[in-house]
Amino acid sequence: MQIEQIYTGCLAQGAYYIQSAGEAAIIDPLRDTAPYLRRAEKDGVTIKYIFETHFHADFVSGHIDLHKATGAPIVYGPGADPAFDAIIATDGQEFSIGDITIKVLHTPGHTLESVTYLLKVEQGKDYAIFSGDTLFLGDVGRPDLAQKKDSITKEDLAGMLYDSLNNKILPLADEVIVYPAHGAGSACGKNMMKETVDTLGHQKEINYALNQPDKASFIKSVTDGLLPPPEYFPANVLMNKQGYRSMDEVMKKGLMALDPQAFENAANNTRALILDTRDNTEFAVGFVPQSVNIGLRGDFAPWAGALIGDVEQPILLVSTPGTESEAIERLGRVGFDNVIGYLDGGFDSWKNAGKVTDTVKRISADEFAAQYNSDTTVIDVRKDSEYSASHVTNADSKPLADISSWLKELDPEKHFYVHCAGGYRSMAAASILQMHGYRNFSEVAGGINAINKTSVPVTDFVCQSGTTNK
């Protein structure tokens, strides 16, 4: 038997490849299925089943394309209602893969159809659980994504999750290995560890959710402090339930090379968003006007989902030449299938064609320190938890994820400064601000990491979980 966790850092997502005696199973595959197919071919095994722990909200799964490529049936838990052929397993149903067995444990709470897959080895010994979004390392799945107005609340779902954990998972032996669907950085939980594999026994000791004294305390603890889910989540659920275009079709459509004039015509004649995926340092010194900067070398897909929102939005790409395929693929992972072309030759071709360009006023942390005083308006676009940990003394916390709301509150006549942790998010914010007509601001290069090395006063550090340095 072999278990391989195929972890994608951008989405903080773990898919699983399991093989035994010439057969394999894939759990929660990403949409780009080539790695699973190549691995199975290399190992000389047949993919027998495609297991889904639930209808994912934060990414589009590869179950449909993988089924078309292999003929392997897709397996969901009780109550699932996909618009395509699938095995809807019963609680306790078992599936054999070579010499091992996968047992379905219905664990509703994150969603109603959520399941945990229990892997049993020879002689029926419990070996590992693939817990999906039911149990994370350090946390449990958020119980608000499947709530429905007037029928089921997040408190109802949290209560179900409590019962699922206590009746199905906690009775398992301490040495059982936990393989979750997500790790730190995912929006599917609020307190996840950076580690991606652990034992159930250790989680019983340190996971706050598993150490609540009673059901009421559990419900309160897991529903407190939940941030609103990203706007694209419901669209991803629908795509996972109803189906989607093949990635081959999405790639073919997106990989339309446009010279500068054709690119300009497309931008003028459609409602396309110009998405610049270059590094923020390159973007600052020159870009196509009205572009939004979300760097490919970062948490690209989640931020694209959070900031663009509408998966039907037409997109025109400006990328470092040679990275266009990667950008389209990663956008497709979160359901953004409507890339209609890219700027051939990248930004340099636009500039060399004599087209109008724009810049962001970026200053160094030392320049910021020289200009700073107690009346300076500073906007910190990091997460609230990062701001709480430490921030410039008089800074306002305005998270990037909420920019569509707070930018309307800004006075366009009053100068302000924008920063994040290192420059990735503040440049995204700067690009969106300029797209909406705000020009009277300076973006601080290096963010709080650089500001901390200057004389600018910051609050004392308070340890927080779930922060990021990007």
Side-chain angles (χ1 to χ4, degrees), residues 45-209:
V45 301
T46 299
I47 296 177
K48 188 176 183 181
Y49 293 110
I50 304 158
F51 292 105
E52 291 284 0
T53 56
H54 63 294
F55 292 118
H56 305 283
D58 60 312
F59 70 95
V60 178
S61 178
H63 54 304
I64 295 175
D65 281 353
L66 199 54
H67 166 71
K68 290 177 180 177
T70 65
I74 303 165
V75 180
Y76 276 99
D81 57 347
F84 44 83
D85 289 338
I87 296 172
I88 308 303
T90 58
D91 187 27
Q93 185 171 348
E94 296 186 345
F95 298 84
S96 64
I97 298 99
D99 297 328
I100 63 175
T101 299
I102 298 286
K103 182 178 181 179
V104 176
L105 306 179
H106 187 207
T107 51
H110 175 66
T111 66
L112 294 175
E113 80 286 350
S114 285
V115 292
T116 294
Y117 293 110
L118 173 62
L119 187 153
K120 293 175 170 284
V121 291
E122 293 83 352
Q123 290 81 49
K125 180 178 174 59
D126 296 344
Y127 181 80
I129 54 172
F130 300 88
S131 54
D133 286 22
T134 296
L135 175 64
F136 297 128
L137 305 188
D139 202 358
V140 293
R142 58 189 298 168
D144 61 323
L145 299 184
Q147 61 184 327
K148 298 178 181 178
K149 186 178 180 181
D150 300 327
S151 62
I152 188 167
T153 67
K154 63 184 178 183
E155 288 78 15
D156 294 330
L157 288 160
M160 294 180 195
L161 185 57
Y162 177 86
D163 292 336
S164 295
L165 291 164
N166 282 274
N167 297 333
K168 299 290 183 67
I169 293 180
L170 292 183
L172 298 172
D174 287 355
E175 64 266 23
V176 167
I177 301 169
V178 180
Y179 291 107
H182 293 291
S186 168
C188 292
K190 60 183 180 180
N191 194 49
M192 287 180 266
M193 298 162 56
K194 67 180 185 299
E195 292 80 10
T196 61
V197 180
D198 199 4
T199 63
L200 182 57
H202 189 233
Q203 286 302 301
K204 290 176 183 178
E205 293 176 7
I206 59 93
N207 190 315
Y208 80 96

Side-chain angles (χ1 to χ4, degrees), residues 143-312:
D144 61 323
L145 299 184
Q147 61 184 327
K148 298 178 181 178
K149 186 178 180 181
D150 300 327
S151 62
I152 188 167
T153 67
K154 63 184 178 183
E155 288 78 15
D156 294 330
L157 288 160
M160 294 180 195
L161 185 57
Y162 177 86
D163 292 336
S164 295
L165 291 164
N166 282 274
N167 297 333
K168 299 290 183 67
I169 293 180
L170 292 183
L172 298 172
D174 287 355
E175 64 266 23
V176 167
I177 301 169
V178 180
Y179 291 107
H182 293 291
S186 168
C188 292
K190 60 183 180 180
N191 194 49
M192 287 180 266
M193 298 162 56
K194 67 180 185 299
E195 292 80 10
T196 61
V197 180
D198 199 4
T199 63
L200 182 57
H202 189 233
Q203 286 302 301
K204 290 176 183 178
E205 293 176 7
I206 59 93
N207 190 315
Y208 80 96
L210 304 184
N211 285 280
Q212 298 301 314
D214 52 43
K215 191 172 187 175
S217 298
F218 176 91
I219 292 172
K220 185 178 188 305
S221 70
V222 301
T223 55
D224 278 353
L226 288 172
L227 298 174
E231 185 179 340
Y232 74 98
F233 270 27
N236 277 203
V237 172
L238 285 177
M239 292 176 74
N240 283 319
K241 291 180 71 171
Q242 297 178 359
Y244 46 77
R245 286 178 286 175
S246 72
M247 275 303 292
D248 287 343
E249 182 182 346
V250 172
M251 295 295 291
K252 183 177 180 181
K253 178 183 177 182
L255 287 173
M256 178 70 67
L258 302 171
D259 64 34
Q261 189 57 53
F263 187 91
E264 185 175 29
N265 292 343
N268 289 335
N269 297 331
T270 70
R271 62 181 187 92
L273 172 77
I274 302 173
L275 178 60
D276 192 317
T277 67
R278 293 176 299 152
D279 183 84
N280 60 84
T281 56
E282 296 178 86
F283 182 85
V285 297
F287 57 91
V288 177
Q290 297 296 103
S291 296
V292 172
N293 177 233
I294 306 175
L296 195 60
R297 298 292 170 253
D299 291 339
F300 173 69
W303 277 120
L307 297 177
I308 301 173
D310 179 9
V311 297
E312 299 299 325

Side-chain angles (χ1 to χ4, degrees), residues 360-382 387 392 394-399 403 406 410-420 425-427 429-430 433 438-445 447-448 451 454 456:
V360 167
K361 184 181 179 183
R362 166 170 268 192
I363 63 173
S364 69
D366 288 334
E367 289 174 296
F368 173 59
Q371 299 170 23
Y372 177 86
N373 60 60
S374 59
D375 295 324
T376 300
T377 300
V378 181
I379 293 176
D380 185 334
V381 300
R382 297 175 299 157
Y387 176 87
V392 173
N394 64 332
D396 294 323
S397 178
K398 296 185 182 295
I403 191 170
W406 59 255
L410 299 177
D411 180 354
E413 302 301 320
K414 183 178 180 181
H415 183 268
F416 57 91
Y417 297 85
V418 180
H419 79 83
C420 62
R425 287 171 287 175
S426 55
M427 189 56 69
L433 287 166
Y438 294 90
R439 311 287 304 191
N440 193 15
F441 68 89
S442 302
E443 187 265 349
V444 184
I448 197 70
I451 293 169
T454 72
V456 174

